[in-house]
Amino acid sequence: MDKELIINALGPEIRVALLENGVLSEIYVERQDESNIAGNIYKGRIQRVLPGMQAAFVDAGLKQAAFIYVDDVLNGKSPPPEGVCINNEDPDAEEDADLMGENGPISSMSPRTTGTDKLPIEDMLKEGQEILVQIARSPIGSKGARLTTYVSLPGRFLVLMPTVDHIGISRRIADESERSRLREIIETMRTRPYGYIVRTAGEGVNRDVLEREMEFLDNLWNDIQLRCHEVSAPALLHEELTVTLRCVRDLLAHEADRVTIDSPAVYRTVSSFIEKFMPRLKNSVVQYSGEEPIFDAYNLEVDIQRALKKKVWLKCGGYIVIEITEALVVIDVNTGRYVGKRNFAETVLKTNLEAVKEIAYQIRLRNLGGIIIIDFIDMDSRADQEKVYNTLKESLCRDKAKTNVLPMSELGLIQMTRKRVVKSIPRMLCEPCFYCEGEGLLLSRRTICYTIFRDVCRRGAEPETSRIHLRVHPVIADLLLGEESGLISSLEDRVGRQIYIYPDDSYHLEQYDITEVR
């Protein structure tokens, strides 16, 4: 499969697109805000401890307070310099993308104690206490950033986990002899009880290269600790790579064959980065020289706009509707214009199977995360249900983010979760409608007219006033003076006063003012 990274950096934001056989598969956007801070390390101060939630709010110098759960706290203080043996999980079960492929640290490496071994958070953290933390998940919507004290520092071939005394190999490295070789190299090289995971890119890499990267990561961690003791909270101690360099580091060679960049400055930065860390791939970077904007040249702007639409049409004539809510993502499958050829069961199965592939693609493209509920068209055959379920799991295999898919329920629903670290593309590029304030619905014009009628009636007859001035949106004024003119006449008879209607362009559709004039 031909894969290519397209980087658009000529503008106020950086956009990185991953193309697979010329089709947009993933899109990353970075702006100068707090939307992409996963992986950053801060020295924070505990603002408030919540025993009832077993969590705490932390001031890390961000726009809104971050929070940390009890399971993400290492002994209630900053990780010790020498590291602590706290985990017996097998990191081989972690996908390479779970390490840093989604711009976030390894949160799953945190211990999950149970029973009497688990200390309550109020015994580990106190208000005003300073603590070294890493962003496990960027702020999303109204939720602040999620923090962890289990730091992970990713390199090209290794991930350093200074608070975990464990060695792991990416499970994408399948050859057992290679896994044993890498594990032995790491065990003999490390001088401190730090944890290391060999990333997929480390397959076949010789000892000298791994040793240099291990030394680099160890020194980086030492520098972070030194800075932590020199500054007062809140303070930024370490900033993750830009989205451009992250994508080059994590996707080039294994996920992409070449990189095309439109910005000369970014091209030089990437070339220098590759020359230093990935010299064998220096010929894979190309500077775009076309006159047309790079995303237009690859027809990506249209694909990005499609990724913001709720309705997505299928080739067969059916369609899916994607609704992003505060709590979860809901995807509905419909037959639409597709009527099939033989029987209803075949029509439904074909629509559902085509929808499955599009759903897996849209989830990955839009970077949807959290709980996802898929409402397929009802199928009576259990075999058909299994076929749809298995096809969905197979289609999600190409997604680097960790997913967990449950079998189809009796209601025809599939429940799944997908690891979420940063905002989805719709949340990144869009904002709630200032008109409906995110509700998605407005009162109908006729409903507004009837509401005004009842509001005027409540005021009753006032002998001291001779008329009523009604100021409304122009659309409502047209309706009251046109189709609903009888409503105004009956209202004048009921309250015994004349009603004057004044349209105002500055009014919200649902807004109106009633003024009684003497």
Side-chain angles (χ1 to χ4, degrees), residues 231 311 517:
V231 301
K311 180 182 287 188
V517 182

Side-chain angles (χ1 to χ4, degrees), residues 58-75:
V58 181
D59 177 15
L62 307 176
K63 291 181 181 178
Q64 58 188 130
F67 63 95
I68 187 169
Y69 288 117
V70 62
D71 285 341
D72 293 315
V73 179
L74 176 65
N75 297 334

Side-chain angles (χ1 to χ4, degrees), residues 42-63:
Y42 295 84
K43 185 175 185 179
R45 179 178 287 106
I46 304 298
Q47 283 185 323
R48 187 181 176 193
V49 179
L50 306 173
M53 297 291 293
Q54 282 301 291
F57 285 110
V58 181
D59 177 15
L62 307 176
K63 291 181 181 178

Side-chain angles (χ1 to χ4, degrees), residues 281-311:
L281 299 174
K282 62 181 179 180
N283 295 326
S284 301
V285 184
V286 178
Q287 183 173 352
Y288 178 72
S289 57
E291 296 182 1
E292 189 178 16
I294 189 170
F295 268 37
D296 289 345
Y298 285 85
N299 199 32
L300 298 180
E301 298 291 3
V302 175
D303 292 334
I304 294 174
Q305 290 303 314
R306 284 185 67 243
L308 303 178
K309 302 294 184 183
K310 288 170 53 176
K311 180 182 287 188

Side-chain angles (χ1 to χ4, degrees), residues 110-403:
S110 306
R112 295 294 183 264
T113 54
T114 57
T116 56
D117 294 333
K118 184 173 181 178
L119 290 175
I121 196 166
E122 60 268 28
D123 290 348
M124 298 197 296
L125 298 179
K126 303 298 179 184
E127 292 185 11
Q129 176 182 341
E130 294 187 342
I131 183 172
L132 187 150
V133 290
Q134 186 171 35
I135 305 293
R137 190 191 68 199
S138 297
I140 298 177
S142 60
K143 298 178 181 178
R146 179 171 175 175
L147 306 176
T148 179
T149 58
Y150 296 95
V151 174
S152 61
L153 296 172
R156 172 62 181 152
F157 307 111
L158 301 174
V159 177
L160 167 65
M161 299 171 295
T163 62
V164 180
D165 184 10
H166 195 88
I167 298 174
I169 313 296
S170 169
R171 71 178 182 181
R172 291 188 179 185
I173 302 176
D175 184 78
E176 286 299 328
S177 61
E178 176 64 9
R179 295 173 66 87
S180 299
R181 182 187 76 89
L182 292 170
R183 188 182 297 275
E184 182 180 356
I185 288 175
I186 301 302
E187 286 178 345
T188 56
M189 283 195 311
R190 64 173 185 162
T191 57
R192 295 181 179 182
Y194 290 168
Y196 297 90
I197 285 186
V198 181
R199 308 188 70 176
T200 307
E203 186 174 9
V205 176
N206 62 48
R207 179 188 180 96
D208 291 341
V209 174
L210 294 176
E211 188 171 16
R212 285 197 299 269
E213 181 155 293
M214 180 180 288
E215 183 180 3
F216 168 78
L217 293 174
D218 287 354
N219 290 337
L220 176 60
W221 172 237
N222 290 336
D223 290 343
I224 292 172
Q225 289 184 300
L226 182 62
R227 176 165 167 73
C228 181
H229 288 93
E230 292 175 345
V231 301
S232 299
L236 173 64
L237 304 179
H238 170 72
E239 191 169 11
E240 240 299 87
L241 295 176
T242 64
V243 65
T244 302
L245 297 182
R246 280 201 306 267
C247 289
V248 169
R249 179 194 66 194
D250 297 337
L251 300 180
L252 191 59
H254 289 276
E255 295 292 334
D257 305 309
R258 60 188 175 276
V259 181
T260 304
I261 307 171
D262 62 356
S263 167
V266 175
Y267 170 77
R268 290 191 294 269
T269 300
V270 171
S271 297
S272 176
F273 179 83
I274 289 181
E275 186 72 33
K276 182 177 181 180
F277 296 103
M278 308 156 67
R280 65 185 179 88
L281 299 174
K282 62 181 179 180
N283 295 326
S284 301
V285 184
V286 178
Q287 183 173 352
Y288 178 72
S289 57
E291 296 182 1
E292 189 178 16
I294 189 170
F295 268 37
D296 289 345
Y298 285 85
N299 199 32
L300 298 180
E301 298 291 3
V302 175
D303 292 334
I304 294 174
Q305 290 303 314
R306 284 185 67 243
L308 303 178
K309 302 294 184 183
K310 288 170 53 176
K311 180 182 287 188
V312 179
W313 287 96
L314 307 174
K315 292 180 180 178
C316 68
Y319 64 89
I320 62 175
V321 178
I322 303 174
E323 294 275 4
I324 303 177
T325 72
E326 183 71 21
L328 47 81
V329 176
V330 181
I331 303 176
D332 185 36
V333 182
N334 298 277
T335 54
R337 297 189 294 259
Y338 181 58
V339 295
K341 295 180 179 179
R342 296 183 182 179
N343 55 62
F344 180 70
E346 183 186 76
T347 301
V348 169
L349 178 60
K350 183 175 180 180
T351 305
N352 282 338
L353 288 176
E354 190 170 323
V356 159
K357 296 178 181 178
E358 185 65 30
I359 288 169
Y361 170 72
Q362 291 294 333
I363 287 175
R364 183 184 175 195
L365 175 62
R366 301 180 187 217
N367 197 19
L368 303 177
I371 301 173
I372 302 174
I373 306 295
I374 307 172
D375 183 9
F376 287 99
I377 306 170
D378 291 339
M379 296 173 289
D380 295 330
S381 169
R382 190 63 192 172
D384 289 351
Q385 294 178 2
E386 288 291 331
K387 192 171 185 179
V388 169
Y389 168 70
N390 292 329
T391 303
L392 177 61
K393 291 193 68 175
E394 182 180 335
S395 300
L396 290 169
C397 287
R398 293 167 61 185
D399 191 344
K400 296 187 298 297
K402 179 183 286 186
T403 57

